[in-house]
Amino acid sequence: MIAQPKASHFVDGQYLEDASGAAFDVLFPGTGEPIARLHAATPAVIDAALASATRAQAEWARRRPVERGRVLARAAQIIRDRAEALAQLETLDTGKPVQETRVADWPSGADALEFFAGLAPTITGETIPLGGDMVYTLREPLGVCVGIGAWNYPSQIACWKSAPALAMGNAMVFKPSELTPLGALQLAEILVEAGLPAGLFNVVQGAGAVGAALVTDPRVAKVSLTGSVATGQKVYAAAAAGIRAVTMELGGKSPLVIFADADMDSAVGAAMLANFYSAGQVCSNGTRVFVERAALPAFLDRLKARSEAIVMGDPRDDTTQMGPLISDAQAAKVAQYIATGHAEGARLVTGGTVQGRFVPPTVFADVTDDMTIAREEIFGPVMAVLPFDTEPEVIARANATPYGLSAGVFTRDISRAHQVIAALEAGTCWINTYNLTPVEAPFGGSKLSGVGRENGRAAIEHYSQIKSVYIGMGPVEAPF
Ligand code: NDP
């Protein structure tokens, strides 16, 4: 099994190799086999990527938005034409089941390209009448943007960042996670095939040091990171030195609140989606599942039965519903959290036995707010179920976290649903569903979970800046 790309990097419209960069193997998480060997970007590669982006951006920004959109729309179509091959590659890169990569990863990336293709020509400024004089505004690109991705949705992240950036006339240099470097190279190829001029989307590989070198380069106007809070704090601080714009999509410990009047089958299904999809490696997961005490026995019974029916196995098999975690290190981290859950007195309902990188759907009940598994992001398929009695109580407990990425509520009481959501401190919320992130809707977090928004019209604001132009209509009245 080999998925060796033509070269490690994609710079100025073509693949680029520099074998003097540190070599690293890409492993298929399903078996641990190496599937490719790449080299981390050297300073020369980073410089070439930024130089080509800087060169290409000015001309791209002058193009009509409808022309920029046409390129992105073509790229979306190419992705759809190659859907199966891209899904298979994503599965090799991430270890996620093909069941998921066929419907979630590249399809969501294609949606983003299509959405921002259509949006590009609709972005306008405003005219501000001043009783004779007037001001008009222009929405201009920022320049060269850096995108840095996590390993859980590598191709989706590359598309979610590059689509609004390119639509607005920016260039992008993208650094994937070193664990999942393959999808972004495919995107670079596809964009060029779709007609994107050389230099506008470059991919450079490597670990955090390569990302750090990009963030502080004076040619860079903006940095968009998807990653952990700890990395976000470093990248945000580094970007601040150059007063660069940032988008930070970081981690979470999101609450999912289930009232006793909810449709219990849907609530159980949502709780499973919110914890077990992508083997729990989803930033917006609802990992603190608050269940109204009266509904707890029925909820746990159904949850246990359905969780134990999940098919875990080789992610390449069509029937597999849950694959491995991304790496040995991540599995060890999750195993440690499971051990801590036991040690701190949570009751294991199902799962808990880690075998290599494979972690089964794991549910702890009788979890209290102070337990480690209720406070820290685990990033694996470990659900904490916490009972509650009243609405004010559950709102206070749900908000008692430094994170604020997502939140969900299940109830048939329409007023209660809206009141609870209004009171929850989170950027992305769901009522009677969970973890749906269509490109049409803004996505992002509050508190430690991030700044800025991806997707929707809102993303345009984070890849553009406003120029105000004052037009004087009469003679200048100078006081001297
Ligand atoms: P990390 O924060 O470890 O890494 C994210 C990216 O940043 C990687 O490409 C990494 O490189 C790079 N990086 C690391 N250090 C630096 C640095 N000092 N300067 C610049 N770049 C750096 O996250 P993971 O990849 O481990 O992903 C998991 C985390 O991402 C979880 O905490 C999860 O919550 C969060 N996440 C958030 C999402 C959101 O939208 N809010 C979505 C998905 C994940 P490398 O890893 O190659 O060394």
Side-chain angles (χ1 to χ4, degrees):
M1 211 173 27
I2 274 303
Q4 182 69 35
K6 289 182 196 133
S8 301
H9 318 288
F10 197 98
V11 172
D12 205 20
Q14 50 195 322
Y15 278 99
L16 174 69
E17 194 54 273
D18 179 351
S20 66
F24 62 96
D25 287 331
V26 186
L27 309 180
F28 168 48
T31 59
E33 289 167 66
I35 53 170
R37 169 163 283 209
L38 303 186
H39 294 271
T42 55
V45 169
I46 294 171
D47 182 63
L50 288 167
S52 79
T54 307
R55 261 195 318 272
Q57 190 266 328
E59 191 276 329
W60 180 242
R62 281 194 296 271
R63 295 249 188 128
R64 284 178 62 202
V66 75
E67 287 177 44
R68 296 199 296 261
R70 201 174 296 138
V71 171
L72 301 186
R74 259 189 240 123
Q77 189 54 49
I78 296 172
I79 289 171
R80 294 212 167 91
D81 293 345
R82 293 186 198 152
E84 183 57 23
L86 291 171
Q88 297 286 349
L89 183 66
E90 194 77 352
T91 286
L92 291 182
D93 211 10
T94 63
K96 296 196 291 181
V98 281
Q99 269 196 14
E100 287 188 18
T101 55
R102 281 187 184 128
V103 297
D105 297 79
W106 280 103
S108 154
D111 280 358
L113 289 159
E114 196 169 30
F115 177 81
F116 288 105
L119 200 54
T122 73
I123 305 302
T124 56
E126 55 181 348
T127 54
I128 303 163
L130 295 168
D133 289 1
M134 63 176 279
V135 169
Y136 67 87
T137 65
L138 297 167
R139 210 163 249 290
E140 299 190 327
L142 298 169
V144 175
C145 303
V146 163
I148 302 177
W151 39 256
N152 59 342
Y153 281 84
S155 300
Q156 182 197 70
I157 290 169
C159 293
W160 280 19
K161 294 188 189 309
S162 59
L166 295 171
M168 281 311 298
N170 301 283
M172 177 159 274
V173 178
F174 188 82
K175 188 204 85 70
S177 163
E178 115 190 266
L179 297 177
T180 53
L182 303 178
L185 292 170
Q186 293 293 310
L187 177 62
E189 260 191 66
I190 288 168
L191 283 166
V192 165
E193 202 178 322
L196 190 74
L200 290 168
F201 183 73
N202 304 285
V203 179
V204 297
Q205 308 287 358
V210 172
L214 290 169
V215 170
T216 47
D217 191 282
R219 288 166 286 192
V220 171
K222 191 227 157 84
V223 180
S224 177
L225 169 80
T226 297
S228 60
V229 171
T231 302
Q233 286 164 330
K234 283 188 226 159
V235 171
Y236 202 167
I243 317 289
R244 295 188 178 89
V246 295
T247 298
M248 295 280 142
E249 296 290 353
L250 309 176
K253 191 74 193 175
S254 300
L256 169 56
V257 178
I258 298 170
F259 285 93
D261 70 340
D263 173 333
M264 223 20 84
D265 282 324
S266 289
V268 168
M272 292 170 72
L273 274 174
N275 282 272
F276 304 147
Y277 205 70
S278 295
Q281 303 164 113
V282 182
C283 52
S284 51
N285 271 356
T287 46
R288 290 182 296 144
V289 180
F290 291 94
V291 182
E292 195 170 0
R293 204 174 296 273
L296 199 56
F299 176 82
L300 286 175
D301 280 355
R302 289 186 217 188
L303 176 65
K304 180 174 159 64
R306 285 175 65 179
S307 298
E308 287 173 357
I310 289 177
V311 179
M312 198 167 69
D314 190 321
R316 293 166 295 181
D317 289 350
D318 283 349
T319 52
T320 294
Q321 295 171 315
M322 239 175 89
L325 297 190
I326 186 73
S327 64
D328 290 336
Q330 187 64 16
K333 189 179 142 197
V334 174
Q336 182 57 49
Y337 275 113
I338 292 172
T340 306
H342 283 296
E344 294 183 0
R347 174 168 61 92
L348 187 70
V349 174
T350 186
T353 325
V354 178
Q355 286 178 315
R357 286 175 298 279
F358 287 82
V359 182
T362 297
V363 177
F364 279 106
D366 302 342
V367 177
T368 54
D369 298 353
D370 55 334
M371 288 182 188
T372 307
I373 59 167
R375 289 186 292 107
E376 297 183 10
E377 183 179 51
I378 298 174
F379 229 57
V382 181
M383 185 193 309
V385 180
L386 306 94
F388 75 91
D389 294 298
T390 71
E391 187 182 311
E393 169 212 331
V394 78
I395 290 169
R397 290 170 62 197
N399 286 337
T401 168
Y403 296 110
L405 185 52
S406 315
V409 61
F410 268 78
T411 176
R412 287 193 169 97
D413 179 337
I414 188 168
S415 308
R416 168 171 268 175
H418 294 295
Q419 278 159 14
V420 171
I421 284 297
L424 292 176
E425 297 163 358
T428 310
C429 296
W430 295 278
I431 293 174
N432 291 336
T433 187
Y434 203 86
N435 257 356
L436 299 178
T437 55
V439 67
E440 294 90 338
F443 177 83
S446 59
K447 295 158 84 177
L448 281 190
S449 294
V451 292
R453 291 293 177 269
E454 301 202 293
N455 291 345
R457 274 192 167 266
I460 294 296
E461 286 161 32
H462 301 285
Y463 283 100
S464 62
Q465 57 194 332
I466 290 172
K467 177 181 276 177
S468 293
V469 183
Y470 191 114
I471 308 167
M473 297 292 199
V476 173
E477 288 175 23
F480 33 71

